[in-house]
Amino acid sequence: MASETEETALLEDVLQNEGGGLYTGDGSVDSKGNPALKNNTGQWKACSFILGTFFCERLAFYGISTNLVNYFTDKLHEETVVASTSITNWKGTCYITPLIGAILADTYWGRYWTIAGFTIVYLIGMCTLTLSASVPALKPAECVGSVCPTATTAQYAVLIAGLYLIALGTGGIKPCIWPFGADQFDDTDPKERVKKGSYFNWFYFSQNIGAIIASSLLVWIQENVGWGIGFGIPTALMGVCIASLLIGTPLYRFQQPGGSPLTRIFQVLVAAFRKKNVKVLEDSVLYETHDKCSAIEGSRKLEHSNELRCLDKAALITDTEIAYGNFSNPWRLCTVTQVEELKILVRMFPIWATGIVFSAVFAQMSTLFVVQGKLMDRTVGSVTIPAASLSFFDFVSVIIWVPIYDSIITPIAKRYIHKERGFSQLQRMGIGLFVSILCMAAAALLEIKRLQLARELGLVHQKVAVPLSILWQIPQYFLLGAAEVFTFIGQHEFFYEQAPDAMRSLCSALSLLTNSLGNYLSSLILTIVTAITTEGGKAGWIPDNLNEGHLDYFYWLLAGLSFLNLVVYMVFSRKYIEKKAFAAA
């Protein structure tokens, strides 16, 4: 194994040659800890195993989550609002646990070992969930007439334990696996850097192939063969997921963990606070190491920016430091790179926050879109379509739009915008936010038509489907899929590219956190709307019998919030467009 001095010399030599040479220029190492050889590691040959791992994990996850609302209502006999709230809370947790995985990856384990460890937890959760749906003693009895026994405390506890173990397991995979795939492409090599942009598109493509299989085949198995088998198949796939990850190990490029990002953030805040009475002048001297590499393991140096000058106090060299020659206490003096890490996070915050409302819209696909579809005509020919299977068209939309974006839109945008990847990540996300407004408008218009038919046919007080084909839901699912391709993929790429080297897992987790908060926001809005609209004994907007409600009002509310969100996004994205995250190599 090469010494640290030899590895640093190799890294600097590669950087000076702008990505040329035998070794990668981004500091990555191979599975043995040696500098990674370009021809033997990384790129698509390594990504194929990572994509295979992610495909199996997503197929397992969607195999559980896509139809979960029906499991709660049909098998656990819960009310619609209670079931929807339980599921959005669980999904919200699935997107908040990545903070745990990200901190462990960036601080101690690295992305590969974090993924490997948490897949085991994930598998245990899947096994627990499968048992809860298979063993008669662990699930409620079937309905007898109109009497539907609810789950006992013990039965519900087993189910929830399985679901939240899955939530913990996915928390170690989500924030690490797509940055781990992006790590296989060298930032300092122009050819590999372009391939990385394409990687994000195909990464999301593989996710939605898994989701298509889950929303069609697995949903059908769950409703027509049995929930035990329907959950058992995804459990087996998690075993395949683990195998795929391990087989590709010799080909991977690994980024070294850089220490606790949270500690570095607090060090900047404490150091700046201690010098709160000191002014930063134009000619003030800010501290940075003399080495070409950053003092932070696995990170390049960052350029000093003139924004947020109050934080520069953390790197300000005062007479005290000069007198004692003490530059080694980061709680008193931080490097410029460390200060810039925090500045980048602050600059990204408004962009990050606008993703929450989009995620609240996306949460409707597996909850209220499904409930809406259950009260429509689900018969196509001789086949009865499960309402949850309509999410199939969201996934189809994604796999249609990804190659269109990668092969058609990007080359056209390059020609006219003259940027390396066509639309910038910020432009791409903005387009997706606009499309999400159209999605909610389409859902609202369809619900208006459905309620009109219910009134005309005297079905308002009957919880029965109206004679309106469920296929009319396709436009809202298709629009949501298009919005995903622009917003979610753009968001993944944005948070990876703009993140400091040693904070990429953390920034990936922050990106995913918008999904969590979006689910919680959906639950909060749903709870508030239900409380307000049911006052005085009214049915409310979203009763158990949607024929008596006004789900369309709820959809219009989300469309309005999405419009306001887009306006806020445009204001902050315009300020961010010209910012540069990294210093030149």
Side-chain angles (χ1 to χ4, degrees):
M1 183 181 294
S3 68
E4 286 188 14
T5 304
E6 291 170 337
E7 289 181 22
T8 301
L10 284 168
L11 173 59
E12 292 181 1
D13 183 62
V14 174
L15 286 171
Q16 289 171 354
N17 287 282
E18 297 182 349
L22 296 174
Y23 299 94
T24 58
D26 58 1
S28 57
V29 298
D30 62 19
S31 59
K32 297 180 180 179
N34 299 315
L37 287 164
K38 280 192 171 185
N39 293 333
N40 295 354
T41 62
Q43 300 193 61
W44 289 111
K45 59 181 175 288
C47 279
S48 61
F49 292 98
I50 297 170
L51 291 175
T53 300
F54 186 62
F55 167 79
C56 291
E57 187 274 331
R58 288 291 84 189
L59 180 51
F61 182 82
Y62 285 118
I64 298 300
S65 64
T66 301
N67 205 25
L68 197 57
V69 67
N70 283 333
Y71 185 75
F72 270 73
T73 56
D74 297 345
K75 296 300 178 180
L76 298 185
H77 313 133
E78 289 194 346
E79 296 178 353
T80 300
V81 171
V82 174
S84 295
T85 301
S86 297
I87 293 166
T88 51
N89 286 341
W90 171 69
K91 285 189 174 181
T93 305
C94 289
Y95 288 100
I96 202 169
T97 52
L99 288 172
I100 299 172
I103 292 170
L104 288 173
D106 281 344
T107 306
Y108 303 111
W109 297 350
R111 287 185 263 278
Y112 172 81
W113 287 109
T114 303
I115 295 168
F118 277 79
T119 52
I120 304 301
V121 177
Y122 201 127
L123 182 60
I124 294 171
M126 295 289 291
C127 291
T128 304
L129 182 64
T130 302
L131 287 173
S132 75
S134 304
V135 178
L138 296 179
K139 57 184 179 180
E142 296 292 333
C143 295
V144 178
S146 60
V147 178
C148 297
T150 58
T152 64
T153 302
Q155 290 170 339
Y156 196 72
V158 172
L159 172 69
I160 292 300
L163 286 175
Y164 279 85
L165 280 172
I166 292 171
L168 178 59
T170 196
I173 299 171
K174 281 179 181 291
C176 299
I177 194 160
W178 53 269
F180 184 53
D183 288 343
Q184 307 311 309
F185 300 94
D186 185 2
D187 273 336
T188 66
D189 186 315
K191 293 181 180 179
E192 290 194 26
R193 192 165 57 242
V194 172
K195 291 178 183 176
K196 182 183 291 187
S198 183
Y199 157 78
F200 282 102
N201 291 325
W202 293 105
F203 178 86
Y204 208 76
F205 180 90
S206 68
Q207 166 179 306
N208 283 273
I209 290 292
I212 283 177
I213 296 172
S215 64
S216 53
L217 179 60
L218 290 182
V219 167
W220 185 88
I221 290 173
Q222 287 164 359
E223 296 201 354
N224 294 277
V225 179
W227 287 93
I229 296 175
F231 288 160
I233 294 173
T235 302
L237 285 167
M238 277 307 299
V240 179
C241 165
I242 296 171
S244 177
L245 177 70
L246 296 178
I247 291 171
T249 301
L251 299 174
Y252 298 146
R253 296 173 183 174
F254 303 84
Q255 292 289 342
Q256 303 283 20
S260 171
L262 295 181
T263 299
R264 293 199 300 276
I265 289 171
F266 283 116
Q267 285 173 342
V268 172
L269 295 174
V270 170
F273 180 77
R274 282 177 165 170
K275 299 174 184 176
K276 60 182 181 297
N277 295 323
V278 181
K279 289 186 178 181
V280 180
L281 305 176
E282 290 296 328
D283 59 349
S284 294
V285 179
L286 302 180
Y287 176 65
E288 184 56 275
T289 60
H290 295 296
D291 298 330
K292 202 158 193 176
C293 296
S294 166
I296 303 167
E297 183 74 25
S299 175
R300 291 164 285 178
K301 287 184 179 179
L302 304 179
E303 286 181 343
H304 174 256
S305 64
N306 291 321
E307 295 177 312
L308 301 167
R309 296 300 296 270
C310 60
L311 295 177
D312 286 340
K313 294 179 181 182
L316 184 64
I317 299 177
T318 63
D319 294 339
T320 303
E321 277 91 19
I322 294 173
Y324 291 96
N326 182 13
F327 303 105
S328 60
N329 184 354
W331 293 97
R332 290 186 175 275
L333 182 66
C334 303
T335 64
V336 169
T337 294
Q338 191 172 339
V339 172
E340 289 301 318
E341 283 187 329
L342 180 54
K343 286 186 181 181
I344 289 171
L345 294 182
V346 174
R347 286 201 298 264
M348 289 194 298
F349 178 79
I351 305 298
W352 169 84
T354 56
I356 297 172
V357 175
F358 178 81
S359 295
V361 170
F362 184 72
Q364 308 314 308
M365 181 177 72
S366 58
T367 54
L368 292 179
F369 280 14
V370 177
V371 177
Q372 181 186 32
K374 287 178 73 174
L375 291 184
M376 299 177 71
D377 182 6
R378 297 186 288 126
T379 303
V380 178
S382 59
V383 178
T384 299
I385 302 175
S389 288
L390 263 289
S391 58
F392 171 87
F393 292 99
D394 169 85
F395 308 134
V396 167
S397 176
V398 170
I399 67 171
I400 290 174
W401 277 104
V402 164
I404 288 176
Y405 187 90
D406 203 49
S407 304
I408 299 175
I409 296 177
T410 296
I412 293 174
K414 281 182 182 178
R415 186 179 306 168
Y416 292 100
I417 301 177
H418 305 295
K419 290 186 177 179
E420 188 179 65
R421 298 179 187 174
F423 288 120
S424 69
Q425 295 116 354
L426 290 169
Q427 290 169 331
R428 183 173 184 170
M429 286 189 280
I431 294 170
L433 293 179
F434 173 74
V435 176
S436 72
I437 300 172
L438 302 181
C439 167
M440 296 316 301
L445 291 172
L446 177 62
E447 183 63 9
I448 289 172
K449 179 62 177 177
R450 198 191 68 79
L451 291 174
Q452 180 184 340
L453 281 174
R455 287 191 296 270
E456 290 175 355
L457 299 173
L459 302 177
V460 171
H461 300 296
Q462 300 179 48
K463 191 177 179 180
V464 295
V466 302
L468 179 65
S469 175
I470 194 174
L471 298 182
W472 283 106
Q473 279 193 312
I474 291 176
Q476 66 202 56
Y477 280 102
F478 196 83
L479 285 168
L480 189 59
E484 281 183 71
V485 170
F486 285 93
T487 298
F488 277 151
I489 300 179
Q491 191 180 59
H492 287 337
E493 189 174 354
F494 174 79
F495 279 93
Y496 181 87
E497 292 291 341
Q498 296 298 311
D501 290 343
M503 286 188 176
R504 279 178 167 165
S505 295
L506 177 62
C507 288
S508 299
L510 292 175
S511 172
L512 294 167
L513 185 60
T514 62
N515 296 71
S516 171
L517 297 179
N519 277 278
Y520 290 138
L521 176 61
S522 176
S523 295
L524 177 62
I525 295 172
L526 190 61
T527 301
I528 293 173
V529 165
T530 301
I532 293 174
T533 61
T534 55
E535 286 184 351
K538 297 177 183 177
W541 286 4
I542 312 172
D544 283 338
N545 177 12
L546 288 185
N547 292 340
E548 297 178 339
H550 266 292
L551 181 58
D552 54 322
Y553 291 174
F554 185 77
Y555 287 154
W556 285 123
L557 174 62
L558 288 180
L561 289 174
S562 298
F563 175 77
L564 294 175
N565 187 58
L566 176 60
V567 173
V568 172
Y569 174 84
M570 291 173 65
V571 170
F572 285 102
S573 64
R574 285 183 178 180
K575 294 180 180 179
Y576 195 96
I577 284 176
E578 301 301 324
K579 306 303 177 186
K580 292 176 62 178
F582 293 118

